């Protein structure tokens, strides 16, 4: 009974036997022994700190790196890391209806998503944040309708028609280029990759991992259909793709 | 009777968390909407009971949904605050060392001021003398804007004061850090950043509290020393 079975899931929901052990050869009895050497109070304190840490980072939509969790919160409690994380996950679910989802399995990066059923017109912050999300949805829609990938020139041309231009300071979004190419990318909503051998350099716009987790092709297609006053099935290949993806 | 935590409570908490702070009327609407969506029984006008249920769960996490009054319009607000007794914990995970230092300096200026406001000139001058890492004026202006967006500060005519949310979250910290300087309202006994004070005895009160208190008096007098109240009573224009 040496190693725990590694599960290959891409999400961590509490209760999953996700491989989180920092020391890969820890046996369950070893974990138990480590737990017993720490007081309940100490562990509870660490769980609370971790929950607060995750919430603060997520409010700013900053993806959370496991490396930072270990360095800034867990620290000398590394040996009971999995216990702390599991308990934090349960607390997040029980109190906030949130769960930790791994969006990068190689570098172990997480975001928090809501486990509550999605509802139309949910009143999140009605200000610059919702405006930014509106812009993002429009960009995600464009990318999806173009077959999941669009060139930067096409995206900017599309936005230009909506009077959103990278060169000008927008009255709501400010520096639009920075918002789209830096903020949305950092928040993992968009992925922008350079196209090799292009001069001047061109870029490919695609959905980022957070976009995939927070919305769906089905939702985006519904949005497009509503805007254009057509049925989603009007776009045959996108419709089939959205169905397959659901 | 402690009710069970439901999806309605969780949804309410998620929305409140994303806003940071909400006005009472908005919070009541949200209460109803969350119960409707999650098909949970909606007890009208029992928002405080609803909030208590959530607070029971938040307590072990040193967090709380607190009710507070805006110093500007006297309206009730609900905010999610951090109760941990350490200094500026919630902010600490979000900002750089020198940004926190700038905030502390701004806090000093606000608390020490007569009217609860610090001028942007004074704040920007202190940015120059930060011990952690100096900040240029342009950068300091950006940081101030972020503090305003994040509802730690409020800006009016180039001057900065504390946002209601900040006062609700940091009241204890401020009262214990500035024990002789921070003022308390004579009527509601909460921390008062913006206030009017009696010229004779120095007793201070929140503007909305003054408005309420003097409503019933024909000739306004200081509640402590009975001298005539020298200022225009808020809300009597």
């Amino acid at each position: 009974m040496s190693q725990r079975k590694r599960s290959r899931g891409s999400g961590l929901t509490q209760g999953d036997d996700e491989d989180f052990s920092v020391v890969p050869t820890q046996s369950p009895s070893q974990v138990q022994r480590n737990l017993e050497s720490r007081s309940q109070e100490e562990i509870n304190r660490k769980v609370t700190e971790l929950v607060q840490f995750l919430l603060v980072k997520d409010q700013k939509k900053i993806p959370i790196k496991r490396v930072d969790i270990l360095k800034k919160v867990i620290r000398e409690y590394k040996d009971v890391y999995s216990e702390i994380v599991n308990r934090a996950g349960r607390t997040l679910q029980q109190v906030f209806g949130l769960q930790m989802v791994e969006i990068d399995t190689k570098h172990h990066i997480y975001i928090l998503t809501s486990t509550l059923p999605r509802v139309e017109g949910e009143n999140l912050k009605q200000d610059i944040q919702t405006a930014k999300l509106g812009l993002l949805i429009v960009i995600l829609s464009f990318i999806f309708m173009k077959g999941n990938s669009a060139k930067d020139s096409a995206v900017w041309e599309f936005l230009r028609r909506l009077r959103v231009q990278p060169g000008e300071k927008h009255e709501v979004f400010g520096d639009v280029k920075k918002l789209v190419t830096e903020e949305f990318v950092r928040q993992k909503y968009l992925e922008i990759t350079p196209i090799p051998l292009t001069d001047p350099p061109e870029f490919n716009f695609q959905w980022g991992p957070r976009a995939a987790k927070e919305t769906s092709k089905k939702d985006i297609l519904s949005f497009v259909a509503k805007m254009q006053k057509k049925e989603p099935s009007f776009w045959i290949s996108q419709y089939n793709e959205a169905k397959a993806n659901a | 009777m402690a009710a069970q935590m439901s999806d309605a409570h969780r949804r309410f908490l998620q929305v409140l968390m994303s806003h940071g702070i909400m006005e009472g009327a908005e919070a009541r609407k949200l209460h109803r909407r969350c119960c409707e969506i999650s098909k949970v029984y909606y007890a009208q006008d029992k928002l405080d009971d609803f909030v208590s249920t959530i607070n029971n769960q938040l307590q072990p996490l040193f967090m709380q949904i607190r009710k507070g009054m805006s110093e500007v319009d006297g309206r009730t607000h609900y905010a999610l605050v951090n109760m941990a007794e350490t200094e500026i914990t919630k902010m600490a995970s979000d900002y750089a060392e020198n940004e926190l230092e700038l905030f502390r300096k701004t806090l000093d200026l606000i608390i020490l001021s007569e009217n609860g406001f610090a001028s942007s000139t004074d704040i920007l001058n202190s940015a120059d003398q930060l011990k952690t890492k100096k900040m240029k004026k342009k950068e300091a202006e950006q940081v101030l804007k972020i503090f305003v967006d994040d509802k730690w500060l409020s800006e009016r005519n180039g001057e900065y004061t504390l946002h209601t949310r900040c006062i609700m979250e940091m009241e204890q910290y401020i009262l214990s850090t500035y024990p002789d300087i921070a003022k308390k309202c004579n009527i509601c006994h909460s921390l008062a950043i913006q206030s009017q004070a009696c010229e004779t005895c120095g007793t201070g009160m929140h503007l909305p509290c003054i408005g309420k208190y003097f409503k019933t008096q024909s000739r306004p007098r200081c509640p402590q020393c009975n001298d005539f109240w020298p200022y225009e009573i808020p809300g009597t224009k």
Side-chain angles (χ1 to χ4, degrees):
Chain A
M1 254 259 269
S2 50
Q3 275 191 346
R4 287 212 203 199
K5 184 152 183 268
R6 290 165 190 258
S7 58
R8 293 258 170 241
S10 61
L12 167 74
T13 50
Q14 73 294 340
D16 268 9
D17 203 33
E18 178 74 341
D19 173 58
F20 244 155
S21 37
V22 180
V23 182
T25 50
Q26 265 194 346
S27 70
S29 53
Q30 256 181 299
V31 175
Q32 188 59 31
R33 270 200 297 277
N34 291 334
L35 266 179
E36 279 157 16
S37 72
R38 309 282 194 177
S39 75
Q40 270 310 304
E41 267 175 56
E42 292 175 310
I43 305 214
N44 286 340
R45 198 170 28 94
K46 280 295 163 189
V47 170
T48 301
E49 276 177 35
L50 180 56
V51 168
Q52 289 180 352
F53 180 77
L54 294 171
L55 288 174
V56 169
K57 285 272 180 259
D58 198 69
Q59 280 304 296
K60 296 241 156 177
K61 299 280 178 234
I62 301 173
I64 308 139
K65 299 190 196 135
R66 192 215 269 180
V67 151
D68 284 341
I69 295 179
L70 285 165
K71 206 165 47 162
K72 300 198 178 156
V73 183
I74 308 286
R75 298 205 258 216
E76 69 273 18
Y77 287 74
K78 247 166 74 155
D79 54 336
V80 289
Y81 173 73
S82 54
E83 175 70 16
I84 297 174
V85 169
N86 285 338
R87 284 216 235 167
R90 285 202 289 275
T91 304
L92 284 173
Q93 173 56 54
Q94 166 64 12
V95 181
F96 298 87
L98 296 171
Q99 66 181 355
M100 271 176 88
V101 174
E102 192 170 22
I103 55 169
D104 184 331
T105 45
K106 185 165 163 222
H107 301 107
H108 302 294
I109 304 181
Y110 307 91
I111 57 169
L112 297 186
T113 61
S114 173
T115 57
L116 302 177
R118 260 199 300 264
V119 163
E120 240 194 78
E122 209 162 339
N123 50 341
L124 295 175
K125 217 148 117 177
Q126 299 287 353
D127 56 15
I128 182 67
Q129 284 298 103
T130 14
K132 283 183 185 171
L133 282 180
L135 177 65
L136 176 66
I137 302 258
V138 156
I139 296 175
L140 292 177
S141 308
F142 181 75
I143 294 172
F144 174 52
M145 298 311 276
K146 278 267 176 232
N148 298 312
S149 163
K151 271 214 282 207
D152 62 331
S153 49
V155 174
W156 290 119
E157 173 59 27
F158 169 71
L159 290 178
R160 190 185 65 81
R161 282 186 249 139
L162 300 173
R163 309 238 207 106
V164 174
Q165 310 210 41
E168 293 172 3
K169 185 166 193 252
H170 191 268
E171 72 173 18
V172 174
F173 304 118
D175 186 342
V176 179
K177 184 140 194 239
K178 195 161 182 224
L179 172 62
V180 173
T181 61
E182 289 181 29
E183 194 171 323
F184 286 162
V185 170
R186 189 178 56 230
Q187 294 174 336
K188 307 284 180 187
Y189 282 117
L190 291 179
E191 228 163 58
I192 301 183
T193 42
I195 303 176
L197 306 174
T198 48
D199 185 34
E202 288 173 31
F203 299 86
N204 227 358
F205 275 51
Q206 286 171 302
W207 283 28
R210 190 193 283 273
K213 294 279 187 232
E214 286 190 9
T215 185
S216 66
K217 291 179 177 175
K218 183 160 173 276
D219 285 344
I220 292 291
L221 184 59
S222 302
F223 169 74
V224 174
K226 228 202 264 190
M227 289 295 116
Q228 308 229 9
K229 297 203 178 38
K230 295 196 169 79
E231 285 298 313
S233 47
F234 178 78
W235 295 273
I236 302 175
S237 84
Q238 282 87 351
Y239 182 71
N240 288 333
E241 200 185 328
K243 247 183 22 181
N245 211 244
Chain B
M1 184 185 87
Q4 277 279 54
M5 196 69 178
S6 72
D7 274 356
H9 297 92
R10 295 180 189 107
R11 198 178 289 275
F12 182 92
L13 183 53
Q14 278 187 21
V15 177
L16 179 60
M17 197 160 56
S18 79
H19 280 74
I21 183 170
M22 261 187 161
E23 225 206 310
E26 221 187 329
R28 281 187 285 278
K29 266 200 282 202
L30 180 63
H31 172 207
R32 190 176 71 217
R33 178 118 177 86
C34 288
C35 291
E36 275 168 19
I37 296 173
S38 305
K39 301 195 179 50
V40 160
Y41 171 65
Y42 169 60
Q44 191 161 20
D45 291 331
K46 297 274 192 210
L47 175 57
D48 287 350
D49 286 348
F50 188 77
V51 164
S52 280
T53 305
I54 303 176
N55 276 338
N56 281 338
Q57 302 286 318
L58 289 176
Q59 203 214 10
L61 300 170
F62 298 106
M63 290 165 76
Q64 191 189 55
I65 297 177
R66 211 177 266 174
K67 252 167 99 163
M69 180 194 79
S70 157
E71 290 188 336
V72 177
D73 56 22
R75 294 211 189 111
T76 307
H77 285 70
Y78 289 81
L80 183 62
V81 301
N82 209 301
M83 309 250 288
E85 278 291 339
T86 50
E87 44 172 274
I88 319 186
T89 8
K90 179 137 183 236
M91 292 188 75
S93 340
D94 251 354
Y95 305 102
E97 274 305 314
N98 62 344
E99 289 169 351
L100 286 176
E101 201 194 340
L102 182 66
F103 183 80
R104 283 194 199 96
K105 290 230 183 275
T106 308
L107 191 57
D108 282 350
L109 288 165
I110 291 173
I111 309 267
L112 292 166
S113 74
E114 274 282 337
N115 62 353
F117 280 86
S119 75
S120 72
T121 318
D122 287 343
I123 301 173
L124 295 177
N125 283 339
S126 65
D128 220 18
Q129 294 155 9
L130 294 180
K131 290 195 200 109
T132 43
K133 186 175 157 208
K134 285 204 219 291
M135 220 186 263
K136 295 212 181 78
K137 294 228 157 77
K138 262 228 155 219
E139 195 191 337
E141 274 171 2
Q142 296 277 54
V143 174
L144 282 177
K145 184 170 185 307
I146 294 178
F147 286 148
V148 170
D149 284 344
D150 289 350
K151 301 187 182 163
W152 298 111
L153 296 177
S154 243
E155 188 253 341
R156 190 187 75 184
N157 300 331
E159 293 195 312
Y160 292 85
T161 186
L162 299 184
H163 194 284
T164 307
R165 185 257 188 120
C166 182
I167 298 176
M168 284 171 70
E169 175 126 5
M170 295 197 199
E171 181 171 357
Q172 292 314 312
Y173 167 74
I174 293 174
L175 289 172
S176 56
T177 310
Y178 304 87
D180 302 314
I181 315 166
K183 307 179 195 111
K184 267 202 193 175
C185 173
N186 195 254
I187 297 180
C188 71
H189 306 294
S190 296
L191 173 65
I193 300 291
Q194 292 179 57
S195 60
Q196 273 183 4
C198 173
E199 280 183 352
T200 316
C201 68
T203 302
M205 291 174 277
H206 290 123
L207 282 77
C209 292
I210 291 173
K212 276 186 233 159
Y213 179 77
F214 284 138
K215 230 198 247 185
T216 54
Q217 292 195 11
S218 47
R219 297 189 69 188
R221 285 171 177 275
C222 171
Q224 281 296 100
C225 69
N226 223 35
D227 245 18
F228 285 118
W229 195 255
Y231 312 99
E232 197 166 327
I233 307 300
T236 54
K237 281 215 181 94

